[in-house]
Amino acid sequence: MTESLSNLLSENRTFPPTPEFAAAANAKPEIYDEAERDRLAFWEKQAGKLHWFKKWNTVLEWKAPFAKWFVGGKLNASYNALDRHVIEGRGDRVAFYFEGEPGDTKVLTYADMLREVKKAANALTSLGIKDGDRVAIYMPMIPEAVIAMLACARVGATHSVVFGGFSADSLLARIQDAEAKLVITADGGFRKGAAFPLKPIVDDALKGSHPVERVLVVKRTGQESAMGERDIWWHDLVEKQRAEHEAKPFDSEHSLFILYTSGTTAKPKGIHHTTGGYLTQAAFTHRMVFDIKPEKDIYWCTADVGWVTGHSYIVYGPMINGATQVIYEGTPDTPHKGRIFEMIEKYKVTILYTAPTLIRTWMKWGDEFPNKQNLKSLRLLGSVGEPINPEAWMWYREVIGGNRCPIVDTWWQTETGAIMISPLPGVTATKPGSAMLPLPGISAKVVDDSGNPVAKGSGGYLIIDKPWPSMLRGVWKEPARYQETYWSRFEGLYFAGDGAKLDGDGALWVLGRVDDVMNVSGHRISTTEVESALVSHDSVAEAAVVGAKDDLTGQAIVAFVILRGGVGAVQDGLEKALKEHVSKEIGPIARPKQIMVVNELPKTRSGKIMRRLLRDVAENRAVGDATTLADPNVMKLISEGLKSGKRED
Ligand code: PRX
């Protein structure tokens, strides 16, 4: 952290918006004052832009740390995303330009989406799904994923989308925790030039105990799929449904979705979001941060619906705002490294929202790929998921944005539901690598160890000190864990797990996690989760996992393992087997980049592993202060053992 602090301290470039951009922007400078004067009135005004069947009585009920927003109000998320546009004459506007990885395309207008969602909602009802039920969605990035989410919302069922890269065990754990009655999946999807299976993984997951009654399967790849009693094809059931369906009003605090995310323990947390406040902030931030002009813009967020970015900035925010979007199923280098740029030119994309890990990958591939394409349609660029280093920010600005597009570096989390800290294009003079300021209506600060705000120029913990509309309402079924995880480090403050620094101008620089959570390519993975997976392998006695700095993925997973007594010398292929084991247990995103076999792990007297020291080893640095170790010689033994032993990359 010290190293990045000093790098950032020398960053003094700023990029004010052009007068033309500022003049046409949705956000004007006065918006900060307006929110400051009366925060609740400000949010009430934003909520008023949604369609409500019944208006709320109370803006906010705050019994810390439990919030209720727009209490007494009634609305329907799917009505706001669809019916409203069609009723108001926007049915012919394109909602999605979909492109599959093999090159197949589909154009869906708002009227098309409404018809499909109504049919899917009727299909859910025919399967016995009612409001309050949970539905697990395990899909590739195809329009049916969005349709399935909106159909759940329409009938008041709570969706739990599980990213298609998770393993059968991870899927089962999420199905069990949410007690899902239905799984919506596909036979598979396309990735890296080949079909990958999903349905067989669902079948595998459902060998465990679970309350799932039916599995609804979209035919995407045409792979051979064994269909049992419980299974039903989407095309058989949904196609024959009536295209009429009335969206019922639900309470503002009705559960909209659960999304599982990694924390500092092995068990993922079901982050619980409700309807009115979440939709208010998702739509507001999408309008202001992305400056969306729905009649003109072509907006592309490259996230997958399996992550919160896909929920808030593909499904809910943009659709409520009536935006036209591009969605893409596959990987950015299939069939060639210019795929994304080719699509920007083809669809004349104006707003691109992506992750630093992809930006760094593009930098590595070389400028020739973006330079080959006409990217002049772009007018605004966004970044999310991890800190963006100033070099990558500048490259994004120059090579992708042609020095003309403002960049919004947006900080938020699954838990916050929507963007919290970001520049407002047209208002903010941006600095490469800084998320700048909390949005209007949001109160975030950097505090020291005792919870007091730090002075400009200092670093500390990033906290939020006032409730916000799209905040998580809790951890599914675990209220104590909610209090303990987010509200116990500092009295009365939400602590997000990130470290940050305030610069001399009061701009915020998010520095990354200060807890035992790794951020690999913008995905949160807990060290404990990977450690548990490693220890579940026959040959591992103990494991300690750290995130080591990585040029491409932000952090890479490095595991230190102690082998079991009987295993003897390190066998050929063991490292590979362990990597594959983790990949199978959690999913390919958690596959360690490097495994180091050691004889000891550095522990404090109370038995806590000192990951800081292991991180020094993993990042090839001199090992820091080891005086609190129970056995001060351990680090020396580890370093020596590694030098003589063998490593695998
Ligand atoms: O560490 C921060 C990092 O991603 C974490 C949240 O991860 P997740 O819940 O998966 O949501 C990702 C998409 C919102 C944060 O605690 N993070 C996210 N955005 C940024 C960031 N770090 C620095 N700058 C950002 N813009």
Side-chain angles (χ1 to χ4, degrees):
M1 210 183 250
T2 347
E3 189 196 339
S4 47
L5 264 178
S6 55
N7 284 345
L8 296 176
L9 280 173
S10 61
E11 182 56 70
N12 48 22
R13 290 168 285 199
T14 66
F15 297 90
T18 61
E20 301 77 53
F21 198 104
N26 290 350
K28 301 285 188 253
E30 307 79 76
I31 192 170
Y32 289 100
D33 292 337
E34 185 196 341
E36 189 65 36
R37 266 197 307 278
D38 189 341
R39 216 171 64 87
L40 294 188
F42 175 80
W43 283 120
E44 206 166 13
K45 181 169 149 193
Q46 307 315 326
K49 298 192 168 136
L50 299 178
H51 168 274
W52 296 80
F53 290 108
K54 179 173 171 285
K55 209 188 154 188
W56 56 92
N57 318 312
T58 313
V59 188
L60 170 66
E61 254 178 49
W62 178 230
K63 294 196 186 88
F66 297 97
K68 290 184 178 169
W69 283 84
F70 311 114
V71 185
K74 287 191 188 293
L75 76 171
N76 184 297
S78 158
Y79 187 97
N80 271 283
L82 296 166
D83 302 55
R84 204 177 172 194
H85 300 305
V86 175
I87 291 167
E88 293 170 13
R90 296 185 288 276
D92 291 340
R93 183 181 296 164
V94 172
F96 290 106
Y97 291 106
F98 164 73
E99 196 160 307
E101 196 185 78
D104 55 316
T105 59
K106 206 184 241 179
V107 180
L108 288 147
T109 64
Y110 273 90
D112 294 334
M113 285 298 289
L114 178 58
R115 186 188 62 243
E116 294 309 312
V117 169
K118 284 179 167 178
K119 281 167 34 184
N122 284 324
L124 293 183
T125 308
S126 78
L127 294 176
I129 297 299
K130 312 176 297 303
D131 62 312
D133 287 342
R134 268 84 56 205
V135 174
I137 298 177
Y138 186 65
M139 301 267 264
M141 196 49 202
I142 56 176
E144 285 84 352
V146 179
I147 293 167
M149 289 166 75
L150 289 171
C152 288
R154 195 168 185 91
V155 302
T158 304
H159 55 71
S160 163
V161 184
V162 180
F163 175 60
F166 277 116
S167 66
D169 286 349
S170 300
L171 173 63
L172 176 63
R174 285 157 174 77
I175 287 172
Q176 287 170 334
D177 190 74
E179 299 166 283
K181 275 173 72 177
L182 172 72
V183 179
I184 307 179
T185 188
D187 48 359
F190 293 102
R191 226 184 105 76
K192 294 189 177 160
F196 67 91
L198 285 173
K199 172 65 169 49
I201 299 176
V202 174
D203 292 343
D204 226 19
L206 296 185
K207 285 180 189 148
S209 71
H210 59 78
V212 172
E213 291 164 12
R214 304 303 297 266
V215 177
L216 187 54
V217 190
V218 174
K219 191 176 227 140
R220 167 67 187 140
T221 58
Q223 284 155 298
E224 189 65 34
S225 290
M227 297 291 281
E229 283 276 292
R230 182 171 63 203
D231 306 326
I232 179 160
W233 285 109
W234 174 282
H235 56 260
D236 284 342
L237 183 70
V238 177
E239 297 300 286
K240 68 176 189 217
Q241 301 295 323
R242 289 187 322 128
E244 277 107 67
H245 181 278
E246 195 187 333
K248 294 265 168 16
F250 294 107
D251 274 343
S252 178
E253 284 298 329
H254 188 78
S255 299
L256 182 61
F257 68 86
I258 309 170
L259 189 57
Y260 287 84
T261 188
S262 295
T264 50
T265 67
K267 185 170 177 269
K269 299 185 292 263
I271 304 300
H272 177 207
H273 284 285
T274 60
T275 313
Y278 170 78
L279 297 182
T280 297
Q281 195 174 327
F284 163 74
T285 50
H286 181 256
R287 195 158 58 239
M288 293 304 174
V289 174
F290 298 107
D291 191 48
I292 194 83
K293 306 286 193 301
E295 326 69 47
K296 291 197 284 210
D297 278 315
I298 308 289
Y299 164 89
W300 186 6
C301 165
T302 63
D304 187 283
V305 288
W307 308 111
V308 74
T309 308
H311 284 57
S312 304
Y313 298 105
I314 294 175
V315 182
Y316 293 106
M319 294 195 74
I320 287 173
N321 291 334
T324 296
Q325 309 189 57
V326 171
I327 48 171
Y328 170 57
E329 176 188 33
T331 43
D333 52 351
T334 309
H336 57 77
K337 296 184 168 76
R339 181 72 186 261
I340 303 284
F341 312 119
E342 201 174 73
M343 285 178 61
I344 292 174
E345 174 172 342
K346 174 174 171 191
Y347 295 102
K348 299 193 170 52
V349 172
T350 60
I351 302 170
L352 181 70
Y353 190 29
T354 192
T357 185
L358 184 58
I359 299 169
R360 289 190 297 261
T361 304
W362 285 335
M363 282 172 77
K364 191 187 90 178
W365 287 343
D367 296 6
E368 64 267 30
F369 299 101
N371 287 348
K372 223 182 289 169
Q373 242 62 50
N374 180 350
L375 306 180
K376 290 216 163 60
S377 57
L378 288 170
R379 68 177 193 92
L380 178 66
L381 303 173
S383 166
V384 63
E386 54 175 313
I388 175 162
N389 30 326
E391 311 84 81
W393 195 101
M394 286 305 297
W395 184 89
Y396 197 26
R397 180 180 160 86
E398 286 165 12
V399 181
I400 307 300
N403 282 317
R404 136 193 111 249
C405 309
I407 296 180
V408 288
D409 173 8
T410 61
W411 179 89
W412 58 296
Q413 305 178 292
T414 307
E415 290 87 342
T416 70
I419 299 171
M420 303 291 279
I421 304 174
S422 167
L424 284 178
V427 179
T428 315
T430 52
K431 303 183 185 194
S434 170
M436 301 304 295
L437 295 177
L439 289 178
I442 299 299
S443 183
K445 297 193 170 77
V446 182
V447 301
D448 62 19
D449 268 323
S450 347
N452 298 315
V454 301
K456 284 181 184 167
S458 309
Y461 305 92
L462 179 58
I463 60 93
I464 304 164
D465 63 354
K466 294 199 175 103
W468 63 103
S470 63
M471 66 190 281
L472 73 166
R473 298 307 195 255
V475 177
W476 189 250
K477 293 195 304 194
E478 298 182 283
R481 194 172 177 201
Y482 169 61
Q483 300 232 14
E484 166 62 28
T485 311
Y486 301 104
W487 299 90
S488 66
R489 176 70 180 79
F490 304 104
E491 172 81 37
L493 303 177
Y494 170 87
F495 172 50
D498 285 319
K501 178 186 169 287
L502 266 191
D503 71 12
D505 300 326
L508 272 155
W509 298 76
V510 180
L511 301 174
R513 310 285 308 183
V514 298
D515 53 16
D516 291 334
V517 175
M518 300 172 286
N519 188 325
V520 182
S521 298
H523 301 142
R524 273 159 66 179
I525 299 164
S526 91
T527 51
T528 327
E529 209 174 348
V530 180
E531 284 162 7
S532 306
L534 284 164
V535 174
S536 74
H537 190 277
D538 287 345
S539 45
V540 177
E542 212 180 334
V545 163
V546 296
K549 197 169 167 347
D550 185 275
D551 284 348
L552 232 45
T553 56
Q555 287 192 315
I557 302 177
V558 177
F560 293 80
V561 298
I562 299 178
L563 299 182
R564 287 202 190 180
V567 178
V570 181
Q571 311 276 320
D572 267 357
L574 177 70
E575 281 98 341
K576 187 151 178 271
L578 292 179
K579 288 178 184 177
E580 264 154 31
H581 180 69
V582 175
S583 185
K584 188 183 146 286
E585 290 288 307
I586 307 174
I589 42 169
R591 185 188 167 95
K593 184 168 181 204
Q594 196 175 6
I595 305 240
M596 303 196 190
V597 176
V598 293
N599 294 318
E600 304 278 349
L601 288 171
K603 290 188 184 158
T604 60
R605 266 170 283 267
S606 64
K608 207 168 168 330
I609 293 173
M610 291 189 69
R611 291 201 176 70
R612 174 171 62 76
L613 301 177
L614 293 175
R615 215 171 289 129
D616 289 339
V617 175
E619 293 178 347
N620 295 317
R621 263 197 310 270
V623 174
D625 181 9
T627 47
T628 52
L629 282 179
D631 174 1
N633 280 322
V634 163
M635 287 316 296
K636 205 164 140 248
L637 291 174
I638 291 179
S639 307
E640 280 167 5
L642 289 174
K643 262 182 235 135
S644 59
K646 83 193 179 53
R647 294 195 199 182
E648 191 202 18
D649 255 325

